[in-house]
Amino acid sequence: MRILLIEDDEQLCKTLQLQFEYHGIESDCAHNGVDALYYVMQPVYDLIILDRMLPGMDGISLLKMIRQNNVRTPVILATAVDSVEERIAGLDSGADDYLVKPYDIGELLARIRALCRRPDTLEFSGSLSFEDLEFSSLNLHLSRKGDSSPDAKIRLSRREAVLLEYFLLRPNQTLTRQLIYARVWGPDGEVEDGNLDTYIYYLRKHLRTLKSRVRILTVHGIGYRLEADV
């Protein structure tokens, strides 16, 4: 899972990012509405946490703009103002949930889980599976279902885990190299072209070690696709 945190309090951003990382969530931060618009338009986020008061462009204006551009990513609107009118304004502008600051990280995570249990959103359970594979984003373990032998479980590196998670969330879909770069390294991440190929090689090696039916297919000139042998 990758979250976009739009918040002008940089210390709060750092604190939340540490908490997200602990729970296996990747995140990016934007500190003003103008910069946030660039990030929002990247189709790599599963959820957005949006502060109501932002420099450059306020949260309500930004929310209206992204909904007008058909960005359907779930949004939690965070604000220090707790009033019925404020909640109505946020929800009517396109927010999916509303959270009053200061908020507890446990409550925030619970709201994230609740939003991601809704239809047409990604599952946030800490565990993903496809065919004979099972992956835990909490301990980064990749395993073969129903096999308890010592060689049926592999602990992935952090980067391997983020890449594999993206494939598992979209099996049988061709993912372009550009989308993978943005999802795994972030929209502003600096990455050499060969780095992705190296991590694909590592994941393929792990799949062979597990004797899995799942494979990562190269779609020449476009990207990669996760699929299973018939």
Side-chain angles (χ1 to χ4, degrees):
M1 167 176 278
R2 193 172 199 101
I3 285 177
L4 175 60
L5 179 60
I6 306 174
E7 168 64 61
D8 63 339
D9 186 334
E10 296 188 21
Q11 186 56 51
L12 177 58
C13 281
K14 291 177 182 177
T15 300
L16 289 175
Q17 284 193 296
L18 287 173
Q19 290 289 335
F20 290 153
E21 183 177 358
Y22 177 78
H23 288 87
I25 302 172
E26 296 292 314
S27 61
D28 296 306
C29 282
H31 301 303
N32 63 71
V34 176
D35 289 346
L37 188 58
Y38 161 74
Y39 285 94
V40 166
M41 300 310 294
Q42 310 300 314
V44 297
Y45 296 105
D46 304 311
L47 186 135
I48 297 168
I49 300 172
L50 173 61
D51 185 26
R52 171 67 172 83
M53 301 301 294
L54 291 169
M57 182 189 303
D58 68 272
I60 294 293
S61 298
L62 176 61
L63 183 55
K64 290 179 179 178
M65 184 175 295
I66 66 177
R67 293 309 189 213
Q68 288 168 2
N69 281 275
N70 295 316
V71 176
R72 308 319 307 166
T73 308
V75 173
I76 297 176
L77 187 65
T79 178
V81 180
D82 183 17
S83 70
V84 174
E85 293 79 9
E86 187 76 6
R87 290 196 294 272
I88 291 173
L91 294 171
D92 282 349
S93 298
D96 297 271
D97 200 355
Y98 194 91
L99 195 58
V100 178
K101 300 167 70 174
Y103 46 77
D104 178 78
I105 183 63
E107 181 182 1
L108 175 59
L109 290 169
R111 290 174 181 263
I112 292 172
R113 289 192 295 270
L115 277 177
C116 291
R117 284 196 296 268
R118 292 183 181 179
D120 301 323
T121 60
L122 299 176
E123 183 69 17
F124 173 47
S125 63
S127 179
L128 294 168
S129 63
F130 174 64
E131 296 291 337
D132 59 357
L133 285 181
E134 190 160 21
F135 171 67
S136 170
S137 61
L138 300 179
N139 57 27
L140 310 187
H141 282 166
L142 176 65
S143 58
R144 191 172 65 239
K145 292 179 182 177
D147 192 338
S148 58
S149 60
D151 61 346
K153 181 179 290 186
I154 296 172
R155 191 179 193 283
L156 305 184
S157 71
R158 186 71 190 169
R159 191 77 71 186
E160 290 171 342
V162 176
L163 177 57
L164 179 66
E165 180 189 56
Y166 195 28
F167 280 120
L168 289 172
L169 287 168
R170 292 167 175 80
N172 299 312
Q173 295 183 33
T174 298
L175 304 178
T176 67
R177 298 180 72 93
Q178 290 73 23
L179 277 177
I180 295 173
Y181 290 147
R183 173 76 181 211
V184 178
W185 281 271
D188 290 334
E190 295 184 4
V191 53
E192 295 182 4
D193 210 39
N195 285 7
L196 174 56
D197 300 317
T198 299
Y199 282 104
I200 292 292
Y201 168 80
Y202 291 152
L203 289 182
R204 285 171 169 166
K205 184 178 179 181
H206 295 325
L207 294 176
R208 290 194 299 269
T209 298
L210 292 175
K211 298 182 175 61
S212 172
R213 294 176 49 244
V214 177
R215 63 174 182 166
I216 299 174
L217 177 71
T218 299
V219 182
H220 294 287
I222 301 176
Y224 297 95
R225 183 170 68 247
L226 188 75
E227 61 181 31
D229 289 329
V230 179

